[in-house]
Amino acid sequence: MDLSFTPEQIAFREEVRSWIATALPPHLAALAAVDAQYGMKESMEWHKILYQKGWVAPHWPKEHGGPGLDATRRFILTEELELAGTPILSPFGLHMVGPLLMQFGAEAQQKRFLPPILAGEEVWCQGYSEPNAGSDLASLQTRAEDDGAGHFVVNGQKTWTTYAQYADWIFCLVRTDASVKKQAGISFLLIDMKSPGVTVRPTLTIGGTPSFSDTFFENVVVPKENVVGPLNGGWTVAKALLGHERTLIAAVGYSRRQLRRCKRIAAEVMIGGKPALEHPSYRARLAHLEIKLRAHQMANYRALAGAQLGHAPGPESSILKLVGSEIQQQCFELAADIMGENSLSWFNDPGVVPPLEQWVAPAYCYNRATTIYGGSNEIQKNIIAKWILGLPDR
């Protein structure tokens, strides 16, 4: 297996870097320079710019409006965007329900939903978790009942619905048959968030953003043609989507950028009259993280090589999710340790702490969630034990 890049791929990387340098508007570049937090407004602005370039969905095939890039060029483009610190796009349409519709959706569903996802005209959110069905997703209780007139009537609650307050549509797992074993009676349903009976209650997180919401459904009427895949076959669709989501969470470029910020902070913060970067304990922690991140990067390259051969994400995506989420948290933990008392302050006005440190504390708090969302890391360890190591169920 050759994990090196060809001259053509290296040239493509340079093309991406040059384009980002000119296409990123100055006000977004200023935020990127200090690794600031972006809101939905900035994300959608950048979405439209990438859409005009044709790079908003590098993993989409040409027949659905994508650029037709191969797996390696898709990876390069994504990594360069992460390294440049450009706004992170909402993943729910581009990376989750979009690819699912290509794989499982009817032609009419693809024609209706894919173009506005690509253009950034319709924003999506994900309705998987419930108050008593998070890691044990198959225990979900939101039900969709046939009204005998071509519709389902949906009742229930979803929780941790990321940025539901901005979404036009939600893809949901709903129970459509309660008489069979719990995984067999679930369907994958698309619901218009403007439907009567849908209520969203955002929650301000400790990270300083209203990232998560509770979403309630009270007698919400949904056309039957909004089921994706077979009726009661939603569990298979859901597992395919989670594979894409966990690969996404590997976030190698993002972690490289955060580690780079750690080093910059360590070079500026003075401890005992010399930069933190010169203290053996911090140097050792930075080196440990660098080695772990390089190993993670190579694991991601192996998955990339598999994708280049046409292999769909398998259980190895759990390794990428597990390790990638831990590295993200460790980067922010190390940055906070180096900052000392400055890390105890967040929601700062400009100038209260150095610009590079301003957004570390909120990001540290928000990233507590990385080892939970996308399937908790405990669940990933079970998948790795069973499907990769071949260990028996307990």
Side-chain angles (χ1 to χ4, degrees):
M1 181 179 297
D2 184 3
L3 299 180
S4 59
F5 293 104
T6 66
E8 292 78 14
Q9 291 162 348
I10 293 171
F12 178 71
R13 187 183 288 279
E14 290 302 320
E15 177 189 348
V16 173
R17 284 180 182 169
S18 298
W19 179 80
I20 293 173
T22 57
L24 190 65
H27 63 286
L28 296 183
L31 293 172
V34 294
D35 285 321
Q37 282 186 169
Y38 294 108
M40 182 59 77
K41 179 182 176 183
E42 289 85 7
S43 293
M44 295 312 298
E45 179 184 358
W46 185 236
H47 183 125
K48 300 290 178 61
I49 294 171
L50 279 169
Y51 173 67
Q52 292 299 323
K53 175 62 177 174
W55 283 349
V56 73
H59 51 299
W60 285 29
K62 284 187 175 179
E63 60 264 35
H64 292 300
L69 299 178
D70 60 35
T72 303
R73 282 175 171 77
R74 297 198 300 264
F75 172 82
I76 290 171
L77 175 56
T78 302
E79 187 173 56
E80 287 302 319
L81 292 170
E82 290 177 337
L83 285 170
T86 60
I88 297 172
L89 305 186
S90 175
F92 304 107
L94 295 170
H95 291 276
M96 297 183 188
V97 75
L100 259 291
L101 288 170
M102 296 176 206
Q103 185 175 358
F104 295 97
E107 184 177 354
Q109 292 173 330
Q110 294 173 354
K111 288 182 177 177
R112 162 62 185 86
F113 292 111
L114 294 181
I117 290 174
L118 203 61
E121 295 168 350
E122 289 182 346
V123 177
W124 286 75
C125 62
Q126 181 187 44
Y128 271 25
S129 297
E130 297 186 3
N132 294 306
S135 296
D136 183 18
L137 191 57
S139 295
L140 63 90
Q141 297 298 314
T142 296
R143 63 189 187 280
E145 297 170 308
D146 190 341
D147 70 353
H151 303 91
F152 286 114
V153 178
V154 180
N155 283 281
Q157 177 188 353
K158 298 293 179 179
T159 192
W160 307 118
T161 324
T162 305
Y163 291 127
Q165 67 271 39
Y166 303 115
D168 302 292
W169 285 82
I170 183 171
F171 54 90
C172 276
L173 291 178
V174 295
R175 188 160 301 286
T176 43
D177 188 348
S179 65
V180 295
K181 72 173 186 178
K182 57 186 182 180
Q183 287 89 349
I186 294 172
S187 296
F188 191 97
L189 189 62
L190 313 180
I191 302 176
D192 188 339
M193 292 292 279
K194 296 182 289 297
S195 304
V198 177
T199 303
V200 176
R201 295 179 185 169
T203 301
L204 181 63
T205 69
I206 194 171
T209 58
S211 307
F212 305 127
S213 302
D214 281 310
T215 306
F216 301 89
F217 302 91
E218 185 176 3
N219 296 321
V220 178
V221 178
V222 182
K224 280 187 173 180
E225 57 262 31
N226 284 14
V227 172
V228 178
L231 183 65
N232 299 322
W235 192 244
T236 300
V237 181
K239 286 192 295 183
L241 185 144
L242 286 172
H244 291 288
E245 182 182 10
R246 287 165 189 164
T247 304
L248 187 68
I249 295 171
V252 172
Y254 178 77
S255 291
R256 285 179 62 191
R257 183 173 176 82
Q258 299 314 319
L259 183 57
R260 188 169 66 193
R261 175 163 63 175
C262 276
K263 295 174 184 175
R264 292 172 65 192
I265 292 174
E268 292 182 359
V269 172
M270 303 298 289
I271 300 176
K274 61 182 180 180
L277 194 58
E278 296 182 13
H279 286 255
S281 61
Y282 288 124
R283 292 178 67 84
R285 290 178 65 184
L286 285 165
H288 175 77
L289 254 181
E290 182 83 54
I291 292 168
K292 190 172 181 179
L293 179 54
R294 292 293 181 95
H296 179 55
Q297 186 177 16
M298 294 309 294
N300 206 26
Y301 284 176
R302 288 188 61 184
L304 177 66
Q308 191 76 39
L309 296 173
H311 300 160
E316 68 274 12
S317 62
S318 292
I319 299 176
L320 298 178
K321 195 277 177 181
L322 177 73
V323 178
S325 58
E326 289 178 348
I327 290 175
Q328 288 177 54
Q329 290 185 348
Q330 289 164 4
C331 283
F332 288 109
E333 289 166 3
L334 179 53
D337 284 350
I338 296 170
M339 287 165 54
E341 63 186 19
N342 279 353
S343 67
L344 301 177
S345 171
W346 58 94
F347 308 129
N348 295 307
D349 292 327
V352 175
V353 297
L356 269 179
E357 301 178 13
Q358 185 176 353
W359 300 99
V360 169
Y364 169 91
C365 293
Y366 181 81
N367 276 274
R368 297 297 89 195
T370 59
T371 48
I372 300 173
Y373 61 59
S376 71
N377 282 17
E378 288 75 14
I379 294 297
Q380 306 313 314
K381 290 176 182 176
N382 282 340
I383 293 172
I384 293 166
K386 182 175 181 179
W387 297 105
I388 297 179
L389 301 179
L391 299 179
D393 291 329
R394 293 178 60 186

